[in-house]
Amino acid sequence: MANPKRKLSRASKGHRRAHLALERTQLVRCTHCGAMIKPHTICKACGHYRGRQILVAENG
Ligand SMILES: [Zn+2]
């Protein structure tokens, strides 16, 4: 079986994992109501997506 010849040092492991940190989720403004929403999602505040009403308000 193929095996690594040497143990990987903590430093090497750290160097490889230097780029693995999670990034903060980007938020964009809803074009209709201006609320901060995740990109490519329906706005929960007004129910709009790409300028169209998708969700209808529950009470009203
Ligand atoms: Zn909105």
Side-chain angles (χ1 to χ4, degrees):
M1 294 282 280
N3 264 329
K5 199 161 190 177
R6 294 186 198 290
K7 172 183 176 176
L8 198 63
S9 72
R10 265 185 286 175
S12 297
K13 238 187 296 192
H15 286 310
R16 184 180 66 229
R17 293 177 183 174
H19 304 281
L20 298 185
L22 292 177
E23 279 175 28
R24 222 163 226 279
T25 310
Q26 295 293 314
L27 292 178
V28 295
R29 283 211 177 277
C30 170
T31 52
H32 188 254
C33 71
M36 297 305 286
I37 55 172
K38 283 190 276 182
H40 311 286
T41 56
I42 299 172
C43 176
K44 276 187 181 165
C46 67
H48 276 70
Y49 180 67
R50 291 185 58 139
R52 291 199 302 129
Q53 177 98 44
I54 308 288
L55 297 173
V56 183
E58 287 176 5
N59 41 353

